[in-house]
Amino acid sequence: MDLRNIAIIAHVDHGKTTLVDELLKQSGAFRENQAVAERAMDSNDLERERGITILAKATSVEWKGTRINIVDTPGHADFGGEVERILSMVDGVVLLVDAAEGPMPQTKFVTSKALALGLRPIVVLNKVDKPDAEPDRALDEVFDLFAALDADEDQLDFPHLYASGRSGWCDPELDGPRKNLDALFKLVINHVPAPKQQKHADEDFRMLATTLGADPFIGRTLTGRVESGRIKPGATVQALTRNGQKIEQFRVSKIQAFRGLGLQEIEEAVAGDIVTLAGMAKATVSDTICALAVEEPLDAQPIDPPTISVTFGINDSPLAGRDGKKVQSRVIRERLMKEAEQNVAIKVTDTPGGEAFEVAGRGELQMGVLIENMRREGFELSISRPQVLLREEDGQRLEPIEEVTIDVDDEHSGAVIEKLTGARKGDLVEMKPAGAGKTRIIAHVPSRGLIGYHGEFLTDTRGTGVLNRVFHSWAPHKGSIPGRRAGVLISMDAGEAVAYALWNLEDRGRMFLGAQAPVYQGMIIGEHSRDNDLEVNPLKGKKLTNVRASGSDEAVRLTTPITMSLEEAIAYINDDELVEVTPNAIRLRKRHLDPHERKRAARAEG
């Protein structure tokens, strides 16, 4: 069968997963009466709730005698560890761009990788039926982006289509018939070359592992494209590192290929196929799986280093063990090690004492997703403030810098620029009108300066701003960056919060909890209106007497407390505070820094 391998690239929420749904439906991958969930590729609960693709997944459709393998890439840079390697499996890319927003930073991140690999893109302008769509402007911006990313002449001469993924149509002209996606299928078959690996089907077997998985029945699995040769279940192969070191020799227990939304066992994989192998114990992403006679590994993208680390510890608060069943450090360690096995962008190390574990990853969102998954599995944890990982090169200390792209209403742009370029040590790169009374700001800001900034940003822009960030480069350390300015209100007693006490404390600051909420000594119950921490008593009820006076018994009306999401709570805390995470609650509390932690915090602040 004729074969095409493509990847779909898009920014978060530009409609990539919805378009793949329609491709599956129109290619006949589902039965007529089959019930299929919306955004079928987002199989994970968190992906559905947040509307983002977290894990790279592949699917396969058949259209008029040609099999098209489609890889859905994550749109968020925190999960970009997968993206670079996935692009090495495909021969073409479909770049999906929102016709109103134009190409956004995470489009730029993935597209730069695709162009560097020499892949020729197909541009699809999606959501052209929306009232604010400007497809011509978006198309010009895509061309400018390609030119800025050093695309060659073939890549700049890209075909483009107009589409509405939700309505299920795609046409070469804006005022086309708007019936189906046939134009996209035809263009993929005519524009994307067949895998050149198919010419090497008679050579020794070689495959580059690009994604890692685990199956409860068949164990560790690796997915990649067969670069040469062919393989059948039961064959003995070896795994080589990027440097050519032999890791292990193993027998392939199963070979699976993507068919529709599922994996199906196949009897033989041939050069050009994207398949999943099982049977290995140690081999991981970027390793070459090959026949025993092969000595040279395939070229592989190195795995990008983590940029932040968070300490995961046991929950040792007075309320520990009430919600979750998994509270021991041994169980937490097992779960984190299992995650590190499946996710190559995460590194886990034990801290002195063995009660806590340092987990390093690509960003706050990636950490938030891991903690949220563990919380849903019944774990109780205490989480420290994220610390940025620094590098030493030629005696100079370097820190990660991120490119931040912001769209805000014109009247808020001054406040945003002041925050980024002032205390947060950012450099303004570009500022231009984005139409409809909005300004687009691009700045290079240290990763440290962005921890905890998102909440402040939403306040400054009255919730109307959009902020996107992507790793840019390493640069010399820019000195200390001040953390949160406000102090906190700390409970001095344990029990249940009393409405009258909270009402009286409202003059002191904003509350994080309401009446009847359980509190304990050292728990943070609110934000102080000044810059110092203050111990307060949220249990102090009204002294009752048998004398009643006119006007002294006003009804207690509490202001609605601030409810923080997991990521907001982790970004909010200071180095001497922790987030207590249980299946049913997120609480903040003070902690005593041990000498090891104090040194680490001082080192991070410079």
Side-chain angles (χ1 to χ4, degrees):
M1 184 179 283
D2 226 5
L3 186 63
R4 298 289 184 276
N5 295 324
I6 61 163
I8 294 195
I9 298 173
H11 183 76
V12 176
D13 204 29
H14 277 200
K16 169 167 46 75
T17 311
T18 307
L19 181 73
V20 174
D21 279 4
E22 284 299 321
L23 288 170
L24 285 161
K25 282 178 193 164
Q26 294 190 24
S27 68
F30 305 133
R31 293 191 317 274
E32 283 292 315
N33 61 345
Q34 188 171 342
V36 181
E38 230 183 272
R39 305 198 315 278
M41 290 288 278
D42 283 349
S43 50
N44 176 313
D45 284 348
L46 272 182
E47 290 182 317
R48 289 179 169 282
E49 285 167 29
R50 296 175 184 229
I52 58 174
T53 300
I54 293 171
L55 302 166
K57 291 174 284 294
T59 185
S60 163
V61 299
E62 267 184 53
W63 195 77
K64 296 190 176 175
T66 302
R67 179 174 302 288
I68 304 172
N69 287 320
I70 304 169
V71 184
D72 185 7
T73 59
H76 198 285
D78 275 17
F79 310 107
E82 305 232 322
V83 171
E84 300 136 55
R85 294 184 305 277
I86 278 147
L87 293 174
S88 66
M89 288 201 296
V90 299
D91 304 294
V93 291
V94 173
L95 174 62
L96 196 67
V97 177
D98 187 310
E101 290 187 3
M104 295 289 277
Q106 277 133 30
T107 320
K108 178 179 172 182
F109 166 73
V110 188
T111 307
S112 65
K113 305 281 184 192
L115 295 176
L117 288 167
L119 300 174
R120 290 173 63 207
I122 294 170
V123 174
V124 177
L125 298 162
N126 196 24
K127 306 186 185 182
V128 292
D129 50 354
K130 281 172 65 177
D132 59 344
E134 294 181 58
D136 292 339
R137 177 184 59 81
L139 189 61
D140 289 344
E141 287 180 4
V142 171
F143 185 87
D144 293 343
L145 172 67
F146 284 8
L149 295 174
D150 295 330
D152 61 31
E153 283 186 21
D154 277 354
Q155 291 170 330
L156 285 173
D157 186 21
F158 56 84
H160 66 276
L161 298 168
Y162 301 94
S164 168
R166 182 167 286 284
S167 306
W169 60 263
C170 190
D171 291 318
E173 305 296 332
L174 190 53
D175 51 359
R178 302 194 171 189
K179 286 183 179 173
N180 52 35
L181 294 171
D182 284 7
L184 180 55
F185 282 120
K186 282 177 190 166
L187 191 54
V188 165
I189 291 167
N190 296 331
H191 185 75
V192 177
K196 58 183 182 296
Q197 287 76 8
Q198 289 179 322
K199 299 172 189 168
H200 306 290
D202 299 325
E203 297 175 15
D204 287 329
F205 170 74
R206 290 185 306 163
M207 179 185 113
L208 184 65
T210 48
T211 61
L212 178 66
D215 185 288
F217 303 106
I218 60 176
R220 192 183 180 98
T221 61
L222 285 171
T223 302
R225 177 169 64 178
V226 181
E227 295 293 325
S228 65
R230 51 188 74 225
I231 191 167
K232 294 183 176 181
T236 301
V237 292
Q238 62 177 348
L240 304 177
T241 65
R242 288 177 59 237
N243 308 323
Q245 287 177 305
K246 185 175 172 180
I247 309 167
E248 64 171 330
Q249 191 172 309
F250 64 93
R251 186 173 160 272
V252 177
S253 56
K254 268 191 175 59
I255 303 174
Q256 297 174 312
F258 295 93
R259 297 289 181 263
L261 282 175
L263 278 168
Q264 199 174 302
E265 275 190 54
I266 57 172
E267 286 307 309
E268 185 180 46
V270 188
D273 289 343
I274 294 177
V275 293
T276 297
L277 304 183
M280 69 291 300
K282 296 177 188 169
T284 187
V285 167
S286 292
D287 291 343
T288 300
I289 312 297
C290 54
L292 301 180
V294 176
E295 293 178 3
E296 285 293 313
L298 294 161
D299 280 343
Q301 286 273 344
I303 296 159
D304 269 15
T307 55
I308 70 160
S309 76
V310 171
T311 303
F312 284 54
I314 57 169
N315 180 16
D316 53 3
S317 86
L319 300 177
R322 295 192 184 184
D323 291 349
K325 297 283 179 274
K326 300 172 181 176
V327 294
Q328 307 93 332
S329 59
R330 174 183 55 81
V331 180
I332 294 169
R333 185 179 189 280
E334 277 174 16
R335 174 66 179 81
L336 290 173
M337 290 304 176
K338 182 181 166 192
E339 184 69 26
E341 249 188 44
Q342 292 182 32
N343 189 341
V344 289
I346 281 181
K347 302 276 181 289
V348 181
T349 49
D350 295 340
T351 60
E355 291 290 288
F357 313 96
E358 207 168 284
V359 182
R362 293 284 288 262
E364 288 165 75
L365 179 63
Q366 189 185 39
M367 290 298 164
V369 165
L370 170 59
I371 296 163
E372 183 63 44
N373 279 329
M374 290 179 70
R375 178 186 179 203
R376 292 178 182 205
E377 291 163 22
F379 284 88
E380 289 198 10
L381 307 159
S382 60
I383 307 294
S384 75
R385 177 180 168 81
Q387 301 286 350
V388 170
L389 297 171
L390 306 175
R391 264 188 188 180
E392 288 282 342
E393 255 181 42
D394 302 328
Q396 196 176 29
R397 203 153 52 126
L398 305 179
E399 66 174 331
I401 304 289
E402 303 200 26
E403 183 173 282
V404 182
T405 303
I406 293 171
D407 285 321
V408 288
D409 293 340
D410 294 342
E411 67 263 30
H412 304 312
S413 58
V416 170
I417 291 169
E418 187 187 341
K419 286 270 174 74
L420 288 178
T421 58
R424 297 179 183 275
K425 306 278 175 78
D427 297 319
L428 187 63
V429 176
E430 191 181 342
M431 180 177 170
K432 62 180 181 185
K438 287 193 176 287
T439 301
R440 178 163 289 185
I441 298 162
I442 299 175
H444 292 163
V445 188
S447 297
R448 289 179 302 139
L450 292 171
I451 292 175
Y453 173 62
H454 199 254
E456 235 177 278
F457 168 74
L458 290 177
T459 307
D460 291 343
T461 61
R462 308 286 185 273
T464 60
V466 178
L467 181 149
N468 290 288
R469 44 196 279 196
V470 60
F471 175 76
H472 180 258
S473 62
W474 292 87
H477 195 273
K478 297 201 171 195
S480 66
I481 292 175
R484 186 187 70 223
R485 292 203 181 111
V488 289
L489 302 174
I490 305 161
S491 171
M492 60 166 66
D493 212 341
E496 280 190 357
V498 175
Y500 180 77
L502 296 177
W503 183 59
N504 280 325
L505 289 172
E506 284 187 353
D507 293 340
R508 300 284 190 181
R510 306 180 302 165
M511 294 297 142
F512 295 155
L513 48 80
Q516 264 84 56
V519 296
Y520 54 82
Q521 196 173 355
M523 180 172 156
I524 296 170
I525 63 164
E527 180 176 277
H528 195 195
S529 53
R530 301 191 178 181
D531 60 2
N532 63 310
D533 294 346
L534 183 68
E535 287 204 348
V536 294
N537 187 357
L539 310 183
K540 193 175 180 183
K542 185 176 182 182
K543 294 286 180 279
L544 298 178
T545 68
N546 59 355
V547 178
R548 290 286 174 270
S550 169
S552 65
D553 286 335
E554 304 100 332
V556 172
R557 285 195 180 88
L558 293 177
T559 308
T560 306
I562 298 167
T563 308
M564 288 193 190
S565 70
L566 182 59
E567 279 96 354
E568 286 168 343
I570 293 168
Y572 179 83
I573 56 174
N574 276 337
D575 290 325
D576 61 343
E577 296 160 2
L578 290 172
V579 179
E580 177 188 337
V581 179
T582 74
N584 301 325
I586 295 170
R587 305 184 187 97
L588 309 184
R589 64 183 172 94
K590 280 285 177 184
R591 66 157 173 180
H592 300 293
L593 285 176
D594 62 33
H596 167 74
E597 291 285 348
R598 207 173 277 122
K599 270 185 200 165
R600 191 169 81 106
R603 201 165 56 239
E605 278 305 316

